[in-house]
Amino acid sequence: MSSSQILKGILEGCLLSVISKGEIYGYEMIEKLSTYGFTMVSEGSIYPLLIRMRKEGLVTTRSKKLPSGGPKRKYYSLTEQGKEELDSFKQKWRVISDSVNQLMEDD
Amino acid sequence: MAALLKERREFLQNLRIYLLSSGKKEEETEEIVGELEDHLYEAEKHGKSVQDIIGQSPKAYMEQLAGEMPFDYKNLLIYVPLILIGLICYNILNKAVEGVFSYSLLEAVGDIVITLIGLGLIIVLFKYVASSKLSKISEGLLFYGGSLTPIILLVALTYLDRAVDSPMIHLGLVWRILAVALACLFLIGIAIWAKTWVSIIIPFLSLSPELVLNQTGMQETSKTVLSTVITFLGLGIYIFIVFKRERKKETKIL
């Protein structure tokens, strides 16, 4: 597994978490992620992931017209399956991060 | 700010061309292009460029997006035969205007093969040009070469057809009428189905001047010159109108 693939898996988990807080669109997700210091991926890299997550049935989308006019904005929300995926990611992440942290502290 | 706006428009247009020529559904293509437009517009307010957002070469990013979108076989299955039959209809009408109703097997098969090669070439070219940063000159040269290739092949086919004997197909009177009527009906059918005038206007502009001038007692050479001039003038006006309309649509969207 290359480092970018690991990062993709983590990014997917984080996106699930961000979307679980309520309906949200792409740019807002990036803003949320960056407030947590999540800046190691380019902003555009969330879109191929979002396409895949929708294909896998983890998220659904809804287009809303903006009050200011212009193009419609696409909002994402989690499906039941997405919520389950988020729970399983949280568990896996806890195990990984705990063991990595312990290992690093021993150095 | 103006530079960012220009970069955004160019990137989105190229992305649209890339995805469509990669055989992605139009609806899904418009959806992702619209979504990225929204994002790039927001990012622009904070002075971020397209490059900042995609973080890699446009080609790599477009490939990544395309990799997640399913290939639309239905489109291919509909459009390729449609364009092929459309071109065959045009060929029949073109020959009918000249009063020719015999076709050699070699020519008929060769026409279809060359048309397929031409279609493939256009798709590959569009994909390539949309995803790589080329100068306007090399872009133009590529498209020039791309459109010249089928023409050269067609000329080669004509010479080959003269040199090689292949079975001939002759149409009797009833078949002639039937062939012309079917060809016309089909071209009109395409126009109605695809909501485009192209399949009617192009055959009409390129064939009707000759047809009308044939009824006059004009000399062969002046007839050819005049019908060519009328055809190109007509096509020029048509392209100008289409271009204007597209421009209007584009400014409405952005």
Side-chain angles (χ1 to χ4, degrees):
Chain A
M1 209 195 255
S2 71
S3 69
S4 72
Q5 264 174 314
I6 297 174
L7 211 55
K8 244 187 225 169
I10 298 172
L11 180 61
E12 186 183 306
C14 295
L15 284 177
L16 283 171
S17 162
V18 166
I19 299 169
S20 75
K21 312 250 160 49
E23 240 185 358
I24 189 169
Y25 62 94
Y27 193 77
E28 232 179 346
M29 295 182 204
I30 285 295
E31 282 180 328
K32 276 256 176 75
L33 286 176
S34 68
T35 58
Y36 290 96
F38 207 97
T39 48
M40 49 288 208
V41 292
S42 62
E43 297 184 12
S45 62
I46 65 171
Y47 292 103
L49 259 177
L50 287 170
I51 294 177
R52 184 187 305 171
M53 286 159 68
R54 187 168 68 163
K55 225 169 28 186
E56 288 170 350
L58 303 177
V59 293
T60 53
T61 59
R62 194 158 74 101
S63 288
K64 268 198 243 174
K65 262 201 176 136
L66 296 179
S68 58
K72 281 182 182 172
R73 183 162 275 171
K74 204 158 124 194
Y75 285 84
Y76 291 80
S77 41
L78 281 197
T79 61
E80 275 310 310
Q81 209 186 327
K83 282 174 197 159
E84 284 166 25
E85 183 70 26
L86 176 60
D87 284 338
S88 103
F89 174 80
K90 275 181 184 165
Q91 276 172 13
K92 276 186 231 160
W93 179 249
R94 227 163 265 145
V95 175
I96 296 173
S97 60
D98 280 354
S99 46
V100 173
N101 282 340
Q102 274 177 18
L103 196 71
M104 294 301 147
E105 276 161 21
D106 280 350
D107 272 351
Chain B
M1 259 340 222
L4 289 181
L5 178 76
K6 187 169 167 270
E7 196 195 353
R8 164 163 62 107
R9 279 189 188 179
E10 238 167 54
F11 172 76
L12 291 170
Q13 214 157 33
N14 282 335
L15 177 65
R16 182 180 285 122
I17 294 169
Y18 183 88
L19 292 176
L20 288 177
S21 54
S22 299
K24 308 300 177 192
K25 276 202 184 103
E26 200 178 337
E27 204 188 312
E28 282 179 36
T29 298
E30 288 310 324
E31 207 180 307
I32 187 67
V33 169
E35 195 174 15
L36 277 171
E37 186 182 354
D38 184 27
H39 190 118
L40 291 171
Y41 176 72
E42 291 296 323
E44 220 165 80
K45 289 185 198 157
H46 299 91
K48 284 185 260 187
S49 69
V50 171
Q51 192 54 48
D52 296 331
I53 302 304
I54 63 177
Q56 48 193 324
S57 78
K59 186 173 167 30
Y61 187 64
M62 289 180 195
E63 272 172 8
Q64 215 186 337
L65 281 175
E68 300 296 343
M69 295 162 73
F71 185 80
D72 189 15
Y73 287 98
K74 218 177 79 201
N75 246 346
L76 204 68
L77 282 177
I78 293 174
Y79 283 109
V80 171
L82 212 62
I83 293 172
L84 266 184
I85 299 174
L87 286 167
I88 292 170
C89 289
Y90 175 79
N91 238 335
I92 291 173
L93 291 181
N94 192 17
K95 294 212 154 181
V97 167
E98 289 166 15
V100 178
F101 286 98
S102 336
Y103 318 95
S104 88
L105 198 60
L106 180 72
E107 202 189 350
V109 174
D111 273 348
I112 294 176
V113 171
I114 292 171
T115 306
L116 280 175
I117 293 175
L119 284 178
L121 211 61
I122 291 171
I123 292 173
V124 171
L125 267 181
F126 265 113
K127 249 183 99 165
Y128 178 70
V129 169
S131 63
S132 32
K133 281 197 170 159
L134 295 173
S135 67
K136 288 276 166 234
I137 296 173
S138 23
E139 246 175 56
L141 278 176
L142 271 177
F143 277 117
Y144 187 68
S147 43
L148 215 58
T149 311
I151 294 173
I152 292 170
L153 287 174
L154 280 174
V155 172
L157 181 68
T158 312
Y159 280 103
L160 187 70
D161 194 42
R162 276 183 207 162
V164 181
D165 260 337
S166 73
M168 293 290 285
I169 306 161
H170 295 282
L171 295 187
L173 184 64
V174 178
W175 285 105
R176 291 180 187 190
I177 296 170
L178 207 63
V180 170
L182 274 179
C184 289
L185 266 179
F186 195 85
L187 289 173
I188 294 169
I190 292 181
I192 294 171
W193 180 78
K195 295 192 186 74
T196 168
W197 283 98
V198 177
S199 67
I200 292 177
I201 283 188
I202 295 204
F204 179 77
L205 283 176
S206 54
L207 300 179
S208 65
E210 204 181 332
L211 197 63
V212 171
L213 291 175
N214 274 347
Q215 311 305 317
T216 65
M218 214 183 270
Q219 255 188 337
E220 198 59 44
T221 32
S222 42
K223 222 164 59 184
T224 311
V225 171
L226 194 58
S227 71
T228 311
V229 168
I230 295 174
T231 298
F232 275 93
L233 217 65
L235 284 178
I237 294 170
Y238 175 62
I239 291 169
F240 179 74
I241 293 171
V242 170
F243 188 72
K244 269 257 158 123
R245 256 208 223 142
E246 288 295 315
R247 254 286 168 64
K248 229 189 217 164
K249 251 197 258 168
E250 213 169 88
T251 45
K252 226 183 249 172
I253 293 168
L254 291 170

